[in-house]
Amino acid sequence: MFYNEEFETLPREAIKALQVKRLQQVLQRVYHTVGYYKKAFDAAKIQPDEIKSLADLHKLPFTTRQALRDNYPFGLFAVPMSSIVRLHASSGTSGRSTVFGYTKHDVETWTDLMARCLVAAGLTKNDIIHNAFGYGLFTGGLGLHYGAEKIGASVIPMSGGNTKRQIMILQDFGPTTICCTPSYALHLAEQAKAMGIDVKSLKLRVGIFGAEPWSKAMSDEIEKIYGITALDIFGLSEVMGPGIAMECLEGRNGMHIFEDHFIVETIDPQTGKVLPEGSEGELVFTTLTKEAFPLIRYRSGDVSRLITEPCRCGRSHIKMERVLRRSDDMLIIRGVNVFPSQIEAILVDIEGLESHYQLIVDKAGALDSLELHVEVSEKIFSESGGVKELQNIEKRIVKDMKDYLGISPRVKLVEPNVLQRSGGGVGTKVIDKRRI
Ligand code: ADP
Ligand code: ZN
């Protein structure tokens, strides 16, 4: 089943020709409308009209998350604010967050691509979709929602949290499809079991999971517990949101990347060198059709491998394997992206703290758990009335982490010079004990 058969099954040569044409258009547009790109291309001594084929792409400079932060909030938009109909943003304090804008046409494109994903999962207007991806500034919830309505399915805009209520709705509304992070799916099943409910008895047939790395083993486990087909969906807000790539029902190995809208390259994260298709490396995306927020050669930080063999579903678009790992220090905690630098930025602003901290990420049941150890200044520890002060600092850290980053660590304040410092690298600041 296809949503847009013509484009989803376009012969490879035609895809490449379309990509070149769209690439040339987008390059002209960003060069003339976004100061950042003009500067970047000029500095690299490359002009848009010198890009004549896909093989020329590597001559263009990469765009990094830092460029997005430097241009916070709207500096990389290629259209005036009056043309923007939607804004999404990552978590973080100002200057450490990133903002994504959409024109009306961008929302329509995104909706169509999400519709493609849902149809690739075998869904129709007869399906009821329980959408437990977060709504709000996060792209997951709304992205999926629009696609679900587009195919005429009945969508339940559940968002995250309220697990007991979710279980009640899963029982009462009888959705055929569930969408959420894979770890939340396992958590739901655990909680349901504790309530004496076997999730196999639900009407669910398909699950669409993403927003965090998960293994084939985890997928098998979810399929077994729920008695459903578990499909992988991939996306990142910078490039659009969910719906950049989707696993098809027939193929069951890797996710098709919608190449009429995105060009994907694989690079060596250390050297930035482009690797041959099929090598393991960091995925780099160029958007071809986005109006408000085009991105040229965006380094996703996601390490994977492209699959070029034709898929039995008939889609001609290249596939990517499951994301293997990150090439940077970004953590994904309960589906929320967090950088150690964002945590530092928050701690620096709180008086009485030393700059040393340690973040311990683990699993509590199916969900991620977080513990944050922070050193407090000698003064506070020795002062009378220090206990009260320590409590206040702890409360402030908890609140700021929740408000700015959307994470809720257990905070433990420790005396100065207690935390390990060897090398001072991130490895000592972040201890990730999770196994997926
Ligand atoms: P979302 O989490 O909705 O996809 P974000 O922009 O918040 O969007 O996060 C994007 C990041 O989430 C990606 O760069 C990737 O690291 C991770 N991610 C998204 N989907 C998947 C997936 N299916 N498998 C592994 N990681 C994923
Ligand atoms: Zn396929």
Side-chain angles (χ1 to χ4, degrees), residues 299-373:
R299 290 190 59 162
S300 68
D302 291 312
V303 175
S304 179
R305 201 181 284 122
L306 298 177
I307 304 171
T308 48
E309 287 84 51
C311 183
R312 75 176 83 123
C313 72
R315 285 176 186 78
S316 52
H317 298 199
I318 204 166
K319 293 200 282 195
M320 59 182 273
E321 280 183 8
R322 274 173 195 289
V323 175
L324 298 166
R325 61 174 177 281
R326 296 282 309 172
S327 65
D328 58 12
D329 58 358
M330 186 178 97
L331 294 159
I332 304 183
I333 295 159
R334 300 196 181 189
V336 177
N337 305 345
V338 184
F339 287 89
S341 62
Q342 293 178 311
I343 293 178
E344 274 148 42
I346 287 175
L347 296 179
V348 155
D349 272 353
I350 302 177
E351 221 174 302
L353 296 181
E354 296 287 314
S355 57
H356 288 283
Y357 71 93
Q358 196 162 56
L359 185 70
I360 300 152
V361 195
D362 206 343
K363 288 261 179 200
L367 296 181
D368 298 331
S369 70
L370 263 191
E371 212 168 290
L372 182 63
H373 298 178

Side-chain angles (χ1 to χ4, degrees), residues 183-355:
S183 49
Y184 192 66
L186 287 175
H187 177 67
L188 268 175
E190 273 173 12
Q191 296 299 305
K193 194 171 169 198
M195 291 161 69
I197 297 156
D198 180 1
V199 289
K200 264 204 202 78
S201 66
L202 300 172
K203 294 220 176 75
L204 293 173
R205 186 180 88 240
V206 182
I208 298 178
F209 305 111
E212 67 183 11
W214 56 314
S215 60
K216 172 77 171 58
M218 197 164 164
S219 173
D220 291 345
E221 190 184 347
I222 294 173
E223 293 199 329
K224 202 166 120 226
I225 293 175
Y226 278 89
I228 60 172
T229 304
L231 299 172
D232 201 357
I233 188 165
F234 171 85
L236 55 158
S237 307
E238 298 92 309
V239 176
M240 188 181 73
I244 292 163
M246 176 73 200
E247 182 177 350
C248 61
L249 207 51
E250 300 88 342
R252 302 309 312 274
N253 72 329
M255 299 170 267
H256 289 282
I257 300 173
F258 299 124
E259 288 182 288
D260 46 341
H261 294 275
F262 311 103
I263 296 177
V264 60
E265 301 168 86
T266 319
I267 63 161
D268 177 329
Q270 256 74 51
T271 63
K273 215 173 130 264
V274 178
L275 301 172
E277 263 176 4
S279 315
E280 182 180 315
E282 180 180 341
L283 300 184
V284 170
F285 291 94
T286 296
T287 69
L288 295 173
T289 51
K290 266 171 56 176
E291 292 179 341
F293 188 58
L295 275 180
I296 308 302
R297 301 199 82 205
Y298 183 69
R299 290 190 59 162
S300 68
D302 291 312
V303 175
S304 179
R305 201 181 284 122
L306 298 177
I307 304 171
T308 48
E309 287 84 51
C311 183
R312 75 176 83 123
C313 72
R315 285 176 186 78
S316 52
H317 298 199
I318 204 166
K319 293 200 282 195
M320 59 182 273
E321 280 183 8
R322 274 173 195 289
V323 175
L324 298 166
R325 61 174 177 281
R326 296 282 309 172
S327 65
D328 58 12
D329 58 358
M330 186 178 97
L331 294 159
I332 304 183
I333 295 159
R334 300 196 181 189
V336 177
N337 305 345
V338 184
F339 287 89
S341 62
Q342 293 178 311
I343 293 178
E344 274 148 42
I346 287 175
L347 296 179
V348 155
D349 272 353
I350 302 177
E351 221 174 302
L353 296 181
E354 296 287 314
S355 57

Side-chain angles (χ1 to χ4, degrees), residues 382-394:
S382 47
E383 257 174 19
S384 63
V387 175
K388 182 90 194 115
E389 181 128 7
L390 286 175
Q391 282 173 346
N392 286 339
I393 292 177
E394 199 177 298

Side-chain angles (χ1 to χ4, degrees), residues 19-31:
Q19 285 186 326
V20 174
K21 190 174 125 222
R22 290 183 165 175
L23 176 65
Q24 287 169 337
Q25 286 167 353
V26 74
L27 291 176
Q28 289 293 347
R29 203 147 46 78
V30 295
Y31 187 79

